Amino acid sequence: MEKLLHQRIRYILFFLVLMKLSVAGRAQNIDSTLAVYADQYPHERAYLQYDKAAYAPGETIWFKAYLMEDIFPADESKTFYIDWFDDHGLLLSHTVCPLVDASTYGQFDIPAAYKGNYIHVKAYTRWMLNFDSAFLYEKDIRVIAQNPVVAPKVAIMPTLRFFPEGGDAVAGIPNRLAFMVTDQWGKPVAAKGVITDAKGKMIDSLKTLHDGMGYCFLVPQPGMVYTAKWKDEKGGAHTTALPLVKPSGISMQVTVSGTKRIFAIHATIDAATQLQTLHIIGTMQQHEVFKIVKDISSGSAAAIIPTENLPAGILTITVFDNNWNALAERITYIRNEDYFFQPQMEVDHWGLSKRARNEIRITVPDSLVADLSVAITDAAIETDSSETILSRLSLTSDLRGYVHNPAYYFSNNSDSLQQQLDLVMLTHGWRRFKWEDVVKGKLPVITYSRDTSYLSLSGQIYGALPSQLASAGTIVMILKQKDSTNKMLMAPIDRKGLFSDPSAVFFDSARVYYQLPKSSGLSDAAVKFMLDRLPPLGYRPPQNLPFANAFYNATATLRHFRLAEEAVGLEELQRVKVLENVTVTAKKKSPLEQMDEKYATGLFEGGDAYQFDIVNDPIAKGYNNIFYYLQGKVAGLQVSVNGSNVNMQWQGGTPQLYLNEMQADVDMVSSVNVSDIAYIKVFRPPFMGGFGGGNGAIAIYTRKGGDVKLPPGKGLNYNVVTGYTPVREFYSPNYDRFDPRNEQRDVRTTIYWNPRVITTPQRNQVTLTFYNNDVTESFRVIIEGMTRDGRLAHIEQMME
């Protein structure tokens, strides 16, 4: 019996040791997993600045995108995607932009016949798609009309929701219950009323304090049911049940006090006895910023958290028991001004009259490297300042759900405003972490690798055996772009059939002609290009939901629409304007001169050379190798062809070979079908256009657009590929010099747009010059930007 007792004691002690080791392991897991999350799984956040708040059909949306990760610019991702949808969820355009120093810019043209009320924008990187889609950038941009369709008035249906601080309402201990009243579209509604218990006794009053939000205090009794009886701003009466009360547990309260956060924890008697100690962890952007242990055995615990050294952003405070189960959680916003900066704008030259010149000078502290974007618009058109770079990148990008007018919380740094911002924290708390996974050391599943290099010409070979791919060698490609010289490229093929040329970064669509190695047996293989270019995402607009940013100023909107309509009409008139006939007498160039002008560039232009127009030589099409064609056509050049072996001699040496002015070898040139070749120049020795040209050179050019089309099935295989979206330059007239475009009426509503204003410590002042239009009497200037160390700026200033 005694032996059995000792054995049981040993089992119990062994079990306790295992429990302690397990708890210690969980604590270590949290620390190490959080470190891995922060280091390997950071979340990127995006913001887009636009040149103005609303647009008319036919206008161009000019944008600048900024990308952040943690508290710094997200400079690892290199490609940014933007999908533009109409208000029915149909895709209008898919924009792909290169990210340089965590920013990019471009434009989107609204169709002139567009009838929708808004354009929906969804923006993201490949890396962002690995995480919750609620944190992708999305925005509705208003599209105005002369006679906007007025939606029928719909009765407001307000909803009251309660949010117990920390997560749960617990019986017998103090609880703060935040609440929010919104209509069916998520917009705030003012309300007031009372909270009563099941016996009808009033427990506390209820009144919204700011934008439909407020809070009340409650010490609920076990088993009691509580009800809110309230009226909305229209006088409608409503009844809402409060959340069910937990009989046991803890409650947490966090108080904002300047640069400190005071938190208090209360526990029921049984919970305090069982828990004994609590672990409290603070995290920001997945980084652990503090970890403390508090004794809760007395039923309460409190602590002060200094926050003056923390970055600006959301601090998440989570309470765990000894087994590292999350019991309560609260978010609070840290407003640290060191993480914002304030550019100074001064007007050096006033010119508000018609077509007058204006100069503004922007000064940034000389310790910062800043990337700014500047939008100057007619101050008389509509504006929307509900969201800025500050509110997006340091607040709403980490919150799930709609936040009304978030930029308001950055309008000043008063205590009253910080208390209002804390209401947002109480009613919008949402954890990025699943603590159960963190405790277990479980990491996110990554589906999309990060774009750490720019989008370039790449692809994969399909329909080939592994043995064929293992010795495939090199794919030869000719990249043909609009209004651009053809580019000859070669890329090695790996064992998976993948190939890429990182140097071939291109914009717009292009045609890629390609030739697989003849000796590898890949004649029947298929090639697919640009597989790393993401397709557009889908979007399903909410049903019966009015335009999300439905600000409306009748006078400003009408002015904007009329000016935009006139500007679009003038642009169309300029496009179709018939110029006067001008007779030009000039010497007609010979076909060979025309070919040389079309194909040869730089050191390949002119020169002492034989020229061959293959396009217009019907005999050339009868040769299956260009070297056969050249035999006997150039005095002194000896060309012998024996199967795949080609030998060339000129003045005792071998002439250099060039394909589209890039140095090539015999195998590469032999692989090009003669029907794809347009023009040949054979330069007599010595050729000074390249290294080793002492024995002359042979320059071979493949066909460009406008040449005779090839018969179907002839020539090289090709694919049409698409690179980055082309970027246009915003047109800003200069009325101090002659330009035919200056003769037409100027009714621009965006007076100036510059998405790339860079300052450095050596050049911390930038002067921008712009000219007024014919109708504007005052300007609105908005400057936003980000520094290399992650500080953000937003200023808005009037010139009148």
Side-chain angles (χ1 to χ4, degrees), residues 25-139:
R26 290 182 182 180
Q28 189 175 2
N29 266 353
I30 283 188
D31 293 339
S32 59
T33 304
L34 284 176
V36 172
Y37 267 78
D39 181 56
Q40 300 181 22
Y41 303 94
H43 290 170
E44 293 175 334
R45 313 185 303 282
Y47 168 75
L48 273 68
Q49 179 189 359
Y50 306 95
D51 63 302
K52 54 190 174 184
Y55 300 84
E59 286 195 309
T60 298
I61 300 174
W62 301 90
F63 66 85
K64 170 72 172 287
Y66 295 92
L67 194 68
M68 287 196 77
E69 177 183 292
D70 291 339
I71 59 173
F72 299 106
D75 55 5
E76 195 170 349
S77 287
K78 300 302 182 185
T79 300
F80 193 69
Y81 297 88
I82 308 173
D83 296 335
W84 310 83
F85 299 92
D86 68 11
D87 52 2
H88 297 293
L90 298 177
L91 182 72
L92 299 174
S93 183
H94 180 57
T95 299
V96 186
C97 303
L99 285 159
V100 179
D101 295 331
S103 69
T104 189
Y105 53 90
Q107 72 289 319
F108 167 71
D109 298 322
I110 302 176
Y114 187 71
K115 302 297 184 184
N117 293 318
Y118 63 89
I119 300 289
H120 183 79
V121 184
K122 179 179 286 189
Y124 49 93
T125 64
R126 176 186 291 269
W127 182 250
M128 292 168 71
L129 299 182
N130 291 304
F131 309 104
D132 196 310
S133 61
F135 296 102
L136 302 182
Y137 175 90
E138 298 198 55
K139 185 178 178 68

Side-chain angles (χ1 to χ4, degrees), residues 767-798:
T767 299
L768 305 177
T769 301
F770 63 94
Y771 293 81
N772 193 11
N773 58 21
D774 293 338
V775 296
T776 295
E777 297 178 351
S778 58
F779 309 131
R780 176 178 289 104
V781 182
I782 297 179
I783 302 172
E784 294 192 311
M786 177 171 62
T787 65
R788 186 168 292 173
D789 61 355
R791 305 186 198 196
L792 304 174
H794 169 87
I795 63 172
E796 183 172 338
Q797 194 165 321
M798 300 294 290

Side-chain angles (χ1 to χ4, degrees), residues 333-353:
Y333 187 82
I334 308 302
R335 177 70 180 260
N336 191 331
E337 297 297 329
D338 290 343
Y339 286 82
F340 305 123
F341 74 103
Q342 190 78 6
Q344 300 299 316
M345 190 199 92
E346 298 177 85
V347 181
D348 284 347
H349 188 276
W350 288 89
L352 292 172
S353 58

